Amino acid sequence: MSIIEVNNLTKYYGKARGIEDVSFSVDEGEVYGFIGPNGAGKSTTIRLFLSLIYPTSGEAKIFGKDINQHGVEIRQEIGYLPSEVFYYEGMKVLDLLKYSESFYKKDCTKRMMELAEIMELDLKRKIDDLSYGNKKKVGIVQGLLHSPKLIVLDEPTSGLDPLMQQKFFNLIREENERGATVFFSSHILGEVQKMCNRVAIIKEGTVINIQDIKSLQKDNYKKIRIEAEGLDEKRFSVEGVNNMVKDNGSINFFFKGDINLITKLISEKEVEDVTIEEPTLEEIFMHYYV
Amino acid sequence: MGIGEFSAYYENPDIIEVFENFPPAFLEAANINTLNITTIIGFFGVMFGYYALIVSVFAIMLGADIISKEERDKTAEFALVYPITRAKIVTGKIFAAIVNCIVINLVTWAGVLLLSARFEPDQKFFEFLQLSIIAFFMLEIIFLALGILLGCALKHYKRANSLAVSIVLGTYILSILSGLSDKLEFLKYFTPFNYFSPLEMSNNMAFDTVFLWLSAVITIVAIGLAYLAYAKRDINI
């Protein structure tokens, strides 16, 4: 079953583009990455899911229910961590979390305490006195305390130190193993690579590619580096080669296609060194943005 | 606050003479011509207009702010993603604002009673004061409703706040204009400040029913529109 189903979703802010014709679907139990640079439309998409804003056209369903008509029911089962967290000042952490808890039908006190302990959150402190990183922890506890079926993360790691990031990712993995579906928006590719099964790449408001992480890394591109004297880069100007860079006796390029074609071309010449490796997600990503 | 100054006016015939030399239009504008300012009812009747302005500014700002603060303080992404409808959020905020207004009025009431005690006011004053407090409350409710409408309907909270103040000042000026000439008298229907006249209240010890109905209609329409607008509006984050 699809947990999220988006069909031709479009949002304009007046004349300004938010997202255009976005379609994808997220299966139950998946950790789905949503990557793109700032301003690509990631937060717009998420805010549409949460009915903070309403679509210009197209539709989206979460748990099989239309977001415009069943927002309240849907939000009962969503845990959301925004990219920046802001809270009412003058409240204690515990009061804020209890306030959060009061909106959900189930009793979440036990889970709330567990999460606070994992994230090393001091419940007695006042929100105003917390550092940004600590406010983010409050956000994590608040987003997960009701054991939601769908966890929506918008650039979740900003402001967390590496140790907390690790704890956070472990927590998300546990939630995922429990059965929660995760929608993970980020522009940091390393974390998406680490966490996600599939990824949608969004650029200038449009989803330009949807792939599973493995095929994105393995099946498509090879990163090839050849070192040799008097190398003529035209030799390698065959179909499937791109981003060719020549510098100081070596050439670098990405190749997509039958690898034998390239090895044959290489073997015809005397070379000093050859490396063929998997491109990182960053490099693949760069490719989509060239 | 104004009550403290009353001792200068209290049973002082010179004051009447001073006011008699003022241009009639000024007195009309200040609500002074028809009330005897040397009695405590008359004095409070004159102060009524200023209190009314203050509580109205307070109420409309409260209304606009209580809605738009979620956007201004960026807490919308926290407060508006819970499994409740926008309508419920508005309802909660309306109740909170009304409680605010009630507290303000109770404090005002107690304050005036305390400060006026030394002038040994008669029963009529207490009745007039009671009526005035109710009038303030109704003014607050009207402006609160308008403020909430602005907060709910306008996407930019800064605009909601500046428009709120303009509405209060604009209607206040209208109420002054409506008293200046018979030709402008029709303006009184367009400004809540004229709905509760201290003169009418001190003479009849009652409100004008037409204006009570008008107040109710404005409040209900404003609140209704506020719910409609907020349910459909994009939150500005």
Side-chain angles (χ1 to χ4, degrees):
Chain A
M1 189 186 110
S2 292
I3 291 290
I4 305 177
E5 212 184 313
V6 182
N7 289 314
N8 305 104
L9 197 63
T10 299
K11 175 66 188 175
Y12 273 87
Y13 300 101
K15 278 186 181 167
R17 185 249 332 137
I19 53 168
E20 255 170 351
D21 260 340
V22 166
S23 301
F24 61 87
S25 74
V26 179
D27 295 334
E28 186 163 11
E30 213 175 355
V31 180
Y32 196 88
F34 197 50
I35 53 178
N38 296 327
K42 300 189 298 290
S43 293
T44 297
T45 310
I46 288 173
R47 285 165 187 169
L48 285 166
F49 289 168
L50 295 160
S51 300
L52 282 167
I53 53 176
Y54 295 104
T56 310
S57 65
E59 56 152 32
K61 284 180 182 167
I62 294 178
F63 312 128
K65 294 168 188 160
D66 187 273
I67 49 165
N68 288 338
Q69 277 148 34
H70 302 281
V72 174
E73 292 161 59
I74 292 169
R75 291 199 296 276
Q76 190 68 240
E77 291 293 349
I78 290 187
Y80 172 48
L81 180 61
S83 53
E84 289 179 90
V85 288
F86 294 94
Y87 293 115
Y88 302 130
E89 292 180 352
M91 263 175 125
K92 277 188 185 155
V93 175
L94 185 64
D95 296 335
L96 184 105
L97 292 175
K98 279 186 173 164
Y99 177 71
S100 277
E101 195 204 345
S102 70
F103 288 97
Y104 300 105
K105 285 174 190 157
K106 33 191 155 174
D107 178 31
C108 329
T109 317
K110 196 175 152 246
R111 183 64 182 150
M112 183 178 96
M113 293 301 177
E114 275 173 25
L115 288 167
E117 205 179 309
I118 296 170
M119 295 314 292
E120 296 166 19
L121 189 64
D122 185 354
L123 294 174
K124 288 183 204 108
R125 302 234 347 236
K126 276 200 163 176
I127 300 276
D128 322 30
D129 303 337
L130 296 182
S131 67
Y132 186 73
N134 274 321
K135 279 186 190 162
K136 196 94 191 189
K137 290 189 205 168
V138 177
I140 294 167
V141 177
Q142 182 219 334
L144 299 178
L145 60 84
H146 56 299
S147 309
K149 283 187 190 149
L150 172 63
I151 298 170
V152 177
L153 308 168
D154 192 359
E155 312 264 352
T157 51
S158 64
L160 285 181
D161 60 56
L163 198 68
M164 273 303 147
Q165 284 192 18
Q166 202 48 51
K167 284 191 172 182
F168 170 69
F169 284 132
N170 288 341
L171 207 56
I172 296 298
R173 261 190 215 107
E174 277 169 32
E175 288 290 310
N176 182 238
E177 278 157 23
R178 173 183 64 77
T181 307
V182 181
F183 186 77
F184 189 145
S185 147
S186 180
H187 68 268
I188 303 164
L189 297 144
E191 57 185 37
V192 172
Q193 200 164 9
K194 220 163 32 177
M195 293 292 294
C196 301
N197 314 109
R198 275 203 301 163
V199 59
I201 300 170
I202 184 166
K203 178 187 180 184
E204 289 166 10
T206 320
V207 169
I208 50 175
N209 200 5
I210 299 173
Q211 262 174 324
D212 66 70
I213 289 277
K214 280 178 191 144
S215 71
L216 192 65
Q217 284 172 286
K218 282 189 181 151
D219 301 344
N220 287 349
Y221 289 89
K222 296 286 170 197
K223 186 183 163 191
I224 299 172
R225 178 185 164 87
I226 303 163
E227 272 179 59
E229 296 247 337
L231 205 58
D232 181 11
E233 79 260 32
K234 285 196 191 98
R235 266 184 81 79
F236 296 101
S237 295
V238 293
E239 209 188 307
V241 168
N242 52 45
N243 285 35
M244 175 118 54
V245 180
K246 191 182 178 190
D247 81 314
N248 234 356
S250 74
I251 52 172
N252 297 278
F253 56 85
F254 291 100
F255 175 72
K256 181 185 181 179
D258 184 1
I259 193 72
N260 293 309
L261 194 74
I262 289 293
T263 47
K264 210 171 279 171
L265 283 174
I266 296 169
S267 65
E268 283 166 13
K269 280 278 272 189
E270 186 126 327
V271 295
E272 284 164 20
D273 195 10
V274 177
T275 47
I276 300 176
E277 58 185 0
E278 306 291 344
T280 64
L281 201 49
E282 271 86 352
E283 284 161 331
I284 297 166
F285 197 55
M286 283 299 291
H287 173 72
Y288 283 110
Y289 284 93
V290 173
Chain B
M1 329 158 235
I3 293 287
E5 288 170 37
F6 177 58
S7 48
Y9 297 82
Y10 185 48
E11 286 173 2
N12 183 350
D14 294 345
I15 290 288
I16 296 187
E17 213 169 292
V18 170
F19 278 111
E20 270 170 2
N21 292 326
F22 274 31
F26 168 81
L27 297 176
E28 180 75 48
N31 242 330
I32 297 173
N33 60 333
T34 39
L35 290 159
N36 183 352
I37 200 166
T38 62
T39 67
I40 185 138
I41 284 205
F43 183 80
F44 189 69
V46 172
M47 295 309 293
F48 180 94
Y50 304 110
Y51 284 138
L53 181 61
I54 292 165
V55 297
S56 300
V57 170
F58 161 76
I60 200 164
M61 294 295 286
L62 175 68
D65 188 66
I66 204 165
I67 301 290
S68 61
K69 65 187 276 192
E70 304 288 358
E71 286 157 278
R72 185 194 61 211
D73 300 341
K74 300 180 190 290
T75 47
E77 259 187 326
F78 157 72
L80 271 68
V81 300
Y82 286 117
I84 47 166
T85 58
R86 297 249 182 110
K88 271 195 184 160
I89 293 168
V90 176
T91 307
K93 285 177 179 287
I94 289 174
F95 276 111
I98 290 176
V99 168
N100 251 302
C101 291
I102 290 173
V103 169
I104 289 281
N105 284 327
L106 291 179
V107 170
T108 309
W109 199 353
V112 175
L113 282 179
L114 268 171
L115 289 166
S116 61
R118 64 185 162 125
F119 304 111
E120 291 161 6
D122 55 7
Q123 187 57 33
K124 201 175 166 222
F125 172 74
F126 293 120
E127 280 172 37
F128 176 65
L129 177 61
Q130 193 180 331
L131 220 51
S132 299
I133 296 292
I134 295 170
F136 291 150
F137 182 65
M138 289 201 275
L139 269 176
E140 284 162 20
I141 295 296
I142 297 173
F143 280 108
L144 183 67
L146 292 172
I148 285 174
L149 174 57
L150 291 176
C152 283
L154 296 179
K155 224 183 147 179
H156 299 283
Y157 53 87
K158 279 182 194 154
R159 204 173 297 160
N161 287 356
S162 58
L163 202 58
V165 178
S166 317
I167 287 176
V168 177
L169 294 181
T171 51
Y172 191 73
I173 290 167
L174 272 189
S175 84
I176 293 174
L177 290 178
S178 75
L180 293 183
S181 139
D182 288 346
K183 278 185 199 154
L184 295 173
E185 215 202 319
F186 70 96
L187 288 174
K188 68 184 179 187
Y189 294 103
F190 297 96
T191 163
F193 289 105
N194 276 33
Y195 294 1
F196 306 98
S197 142
L199 182 65
E200 169 103 12
M201 285 190 290
S202 67
N203 289 342
N204 306 339
M205 286 299 160
F207 299 119
D208 189 328
T209 5
V210 174
F211 289 125
L212 284 184
W213 278 109
L214 209 50
S215 307
V217 169
I218 293 172
T219 306
I220 290 166
V221 169
I223 293 292
L225 289 175
Y227 275 106
L228 285 178
Y230 204 52
K232 293 198 177 125
R233 175 159 80 80
D234 284 353
I235 297 301
N236 184 14
I237 304 167

